[in-house]
Amino acid sequence: MRKLPKIIIPALIAATMLGAAGTASAQPYGGPSTAGHAYPERHNTPGRAQAIRAQLGELQRRVERNDRRDRISGRESASLRHDIASVREQFRRFNRDGLNNREYRGLQNRIANIRSRLHMERGDWNDRRN
């Protein structure tokens, strides 16, 4: 009878430890997000972030080039620069803890809208000579 507690007590301790380890591993990575979601949608997205940065840089260069060549007016270029700065700021906020699919698509849509505005402004001939 004296050997039974010596066997049962360590077995109970081991079972308790294994149960606690299983519960801890079932928790979502990173815990709850600040938005109140139990399972955050954040991803480690350096490729997406680099793509957004490259597109914004290229768009900025296109606006500068068109302004220098007088293809768009000063007011139009200022408005486009303001929109690009706004997208950059939104990107910084979103990218603090990674971009989820919705945020990435939203940024891509805003960049596409600015591109189309630049294309439209180039063809309208407002406030230019000739």
Side-chain angles (χ1 to χ4, degrees), residues 97-110:
D97 51 356
L99 296 173
N100 64 27
N101 290 333
R102 181 180 49 83
E103 293 167 342
Y104 180 70
R105 282 191 310 267
L107 290 168
Q108 289 289 2
N109 287 339
R110 288 189 68 189

Side-chain angles (χ1 to χ4, degrees), residues 32-45:
S33 70
T34 56
H37 301 289
Y39 298 97
E41 300 174 352
R42 303 296 178 197
H43 304 284
N44 185 9
T45 56

Side-chain angles (χ1 to χ4, degrees), residues 61-72:
R61 285 187 290 278
R62 287 179 60 196
V63 169
E64 299 289 332
R65 183 176 63 233
N66 282 292
D67 187 28
R68 263 194 327 271
R69 294 178 179 177
D70 288 330
R71 309 263 183 200
I72 58 176

Side-chain angles (χ1 to χ4, degrees), residues 64-89:
E64 299 289 332
R65 183 176 63 233
N66 282 292
D67 187 28
R68 263 194 327 271
R69 294 178 179 177
D70 288 330
R71 309 263 183 200
I72 58 176
S73 70
R75 180 176 288 178
E76 292 166 344
S77 67
S79 175
L80 290 166
R81 284 187 191 107
H82 178 269
D83 290 346
I84 292 169
S86 173
V87 173
R88 278 188 202 274
E89 181 56 35

